């Protein structure tokens, strides 16, 4: 039998904690809370807000990155309830979460904020009564996080022109652009995504990790250097039935830390109008460019038009995280595909940040194979390339562990 102290020491070792710090980590583990980030460790936090996507990353060198911060505002049945509760806006909850986990690196700011595309469940949505800055920017979603945990650089899918797919003339889009323009006027950096680049997002310490943008704004990485090519045909050939939408333009990226690889692609879609317009499937070529990864965030919340055959075949992830918030998240076919739930096939792990009761009823057939259906999903990668997946309780700010996966070796280590 392994004693409590020895078990805690082993856990601490797997988490990349120095021997001198193992006793503090053991105490935290015994209490059931997620141990704090330590230098050399990569943490990827999929934050369960219940109202959209938000992913906070702590690099092994202390680099801080936030991918999206959604704020759907309808409540049930349009979305699951806000977590931890409705006493604060989602941007404030996300900022508090990120600041709490960045404290171990003595960080109070974000190095990078990535807006994968301009939809309310990814960038925020203003409503009457929200606080407003002197510039007229409503503080919701990403703008609110930026006010509480300022970002050095915002990478956006199409700013400033959003050509060839313009933004919809709706409040969330108008507010998003107003926020970015206000940043520029204040001398703060905003950049259009550079597809193919591994230098637009740089670690504080050279070589700590790489983040390559493999898709975005209708382009895909060529697989050579920092080159990219168009995915979309000329706009003159578009028709009302075959015009790309905002989801098609989502930013996609691969984060690599040693042998470990992670994919996130916003709301990329694979829908081709039943094969009538094959080019509208932007998900497949982008995930082919990404190649195999260890962990992936499901495109478009695992909705029926995403996480297609090409997605699962190309990424071949051992674990998928579905950032769900609606009754339609995930679709049954995408869920089966990510689980690899066919006879004779090796199962894959799936974690869902929040499963709506209606979705639970529809997907009951596959839920027994899902690892978790609510909570923050944290991927922790140690310097030797091993990783563990934890789920923590999203109902408060105590980071209590509700699931702790076994240590796994990355694909490159296995090879």
């Amino acid at each position: 039998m392994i004693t409590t102290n020895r078990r805690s020491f082993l856990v601490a070792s797997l988490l990349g904690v120095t021997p001198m710090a193992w006793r503090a980590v053991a105490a935290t583990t015994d209490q059931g809370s997620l141990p704090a980030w330590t230098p050399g460790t990569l943490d990827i936090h999929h934050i369960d807000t219940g109202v959209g996507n938000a992913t906070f990353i702590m690099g092994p060198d202390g680099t801080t990155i936030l991918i999206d911060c959604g704020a759907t505002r309808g409540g049930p049945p349009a979305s699951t309830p806000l977590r931890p509760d409705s006493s604060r806006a989602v941007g404030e909850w996300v900022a508090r979460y990120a600041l709490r986990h960045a404290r171990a690196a003595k960080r109070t700011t974000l190095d990078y904020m990535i807006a994968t595309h301009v939809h309310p469940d990814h960038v925020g949505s203003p409503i009457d009564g929200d606080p407003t800055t002197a510039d007229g920017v409503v503080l919701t979603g990403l703008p609110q996080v930026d006010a509480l945990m300022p970002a050095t650089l915002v990478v956006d899918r199409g700013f400033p022109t959003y050509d060839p797919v313009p933004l919809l003339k709706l409040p969330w889009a108008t507010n998003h652009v107003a926020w970015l323009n206000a940043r520029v006027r204040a001398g703060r950096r905003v950049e259009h995504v550079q597809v193919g680049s591994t230098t637009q997002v740089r670690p504080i310490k050279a070589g700590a990790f790489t983040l390559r943008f493999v898709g975005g704004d209708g382009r895909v990485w060529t697989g050579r250097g920092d080159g990219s090519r168009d995915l979309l045909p000329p706009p003159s050939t578009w028709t009302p039935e075959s015009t790309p939408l905002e989801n098609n333009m989502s930013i996609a990226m691969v984060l690599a830390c040693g042998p470990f690889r992670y994919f996130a692609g916003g709301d990329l879609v694979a829908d081709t109008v039943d094969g009538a317009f094959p080019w509208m499937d932007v998900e497949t070529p982008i995930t082919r460019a990404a190649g195999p990864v260890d962990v992936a965030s499901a495109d478009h919340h695992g909705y029926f038009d995403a996480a297609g055959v090409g997605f699962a075949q190309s990424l071949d992830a051992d674990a998928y995280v579905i950032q769900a918030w609606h009754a339609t998240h995930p679709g049954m076919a995408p869920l089966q595909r990510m689980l690899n739930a066919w006879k004779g096939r090796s199962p894959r792990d799936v974690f869902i940040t929040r499963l709506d009761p209606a979705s639970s009823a529809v997907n009951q057939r596959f839920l027994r194979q899902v690892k978790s259906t609510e909570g923050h999903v944290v991927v922790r990668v140690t310097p030797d390339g091993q990783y563990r997946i934890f789920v923590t309780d999203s109902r408060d700010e105590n980071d209590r562990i509700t699931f702790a996966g076994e240590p796994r070796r990355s694909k490159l280590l296995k090879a």
Side-chain angles (χ1 to χ4, degrees), residues 10 33 63 75 115 128 131 167 173 187 192 200 228 234 277 312 330 337 377:
L10 291 173
S33 296
T63 300
D128 292 341
L167 297 181
H192 183 287
Q200 191 169 24
S228 65
F277 305 100
R337 194 172 294 126
V377 181

Side-chain angles (χ1 to χ4, degrees), residues 86-372:
S86 58
S87 65
R88 305 176 189 273
V90 63
E92 188 175 356
W93 282 126
V94 168
R96 288 170 64 92
Y97 184 100
L99 286 165
R100 184 167 75 250
H101 289 279
R103 190 180 303 137
K106 297 181 172 60
R107 297 299 310 278
T108 59
T109 60
L110 289 164
D111 295 301
Y112 301 96
M113 189 177 276
I114 301 170
T116 61
H117 65 295
V118 188
H119 273 165
D121 58 330
H122 290 260
V123 301
S125 179
I127 61 172
D128 292 341
D130 284 343
T132 304
T133 69
D135 294 20
V137 177
V138 179
L139 295 180
T140 175
L142 287 178
Q144 188 167 35
V145 176
D146 193 29
L148 299 169
M149 192 178 185
T152 300
L153 170 64
V154 174
V155 178
D156 186 76
R157 80 90 174 156
F159 184 82
T161 61
Y162 296 97
D163 180 54
V165 179
L167 297 181
L168 298 173
K169 297 185 184 300
L170 291 169
W172 69 76
T174 301
N175 191 65
H176 180 75
V177 175
W179 165 56
L180 296 182
N181 280 326
R183 280 184 58 98
V184 171
R185 288 194 301 271
R188 303 176 67 204
R189 295 167 61 200
V190 180
E191 294 180 4
H192 183 287
V193 64
Q194 298 170 16
V195 176
S197 173
T198 57
T199 59
Q200 191 169 24
V201 170
R202 297 173 181 263
I204 294 171
K205 181 180 178 181
F209 66 87
T210 60
L211 188 151
R212 185 188 297 276
F213 291 112
V214 293
D217 206 32
R219 300 186 67 81
V220 62
W221 178 44
T222 60
R224 297 184 299 277
D226 59 358
S228 65
R229 63 175 178 83
D230 281 326
L231 277 173
L232 311 178
S236 60
T237 66
W238 299 352
T239 67
E241 192 182 20
S242 66
T243 296
L245 302 175
E246 186 67 19
N247 287 340
N248 298 77
M249 313 304 280
S250 290
I251 292 175
M253 67 212 79
V254 172
L255 173 66
C257 184
F260 174 85
R261 303 180 85 242
Y262 167 80
F263 173 86
D267 278 1
L268 290 175
V269 290
D271 187 25
T272 62
V273 193
D274 276 356
F277 305 100
W279 62 266
M280 292 186 71
D281 173 7
V282 296
E283 181 183 66
T284 297
I286 289 174
T287 52
R288 282 176 180 163
V293 299
D294 298 292
V295 180
S297 176
D299 292 337
H300 202 193
H301 324 282
Y303 196 51
F304 76 93
D305 61 357
V309 175
F311 171 87
Q313 288 180 344
S314 298
L315 298 179
D316 190 28
D318 290 325
Y320 294 92
V321 181
I322 303 174
Q323 300 187 65
W325 55 267
H326 193 272
T328 57
H329 303 159
M332 188 181 291
L335 178 59
Q336 182 182 28
R337 194 172 294 126
M338 284 183 274
L339 286 166
N340 208 26
W342 287 278
K343 290 182 178 180
R345 295 194 185 182
S346 299
R348 300 188 182 106
D349 292 344
V350 169
F351 300 82
I352 302 174
T353 55
R354 187 83 63 79
L355 190 67
D356 180 270
S359 180
S360 177
V362 170
N363 286 297
Q364 196 61 229
R365 174 183 173 188
F366 297 114
L367 288 187
R368 66 182 182 277
Q369 296 170 257
V370 172
K371 293 295 184 181
S372 69

Side-chain angles (χ1 to χ4, degrees), residues 44-48 54-55 262 297 321 323 353 375-379:
I44 306 170
H45 298 258
H46 304 85
I47 305 173
D48 170 21
T55 305
Y262 167 80
S297 176
V321 181
Q323 300 187 65
T353 55
H376 311 302
V377 181
V378 183
V379 183

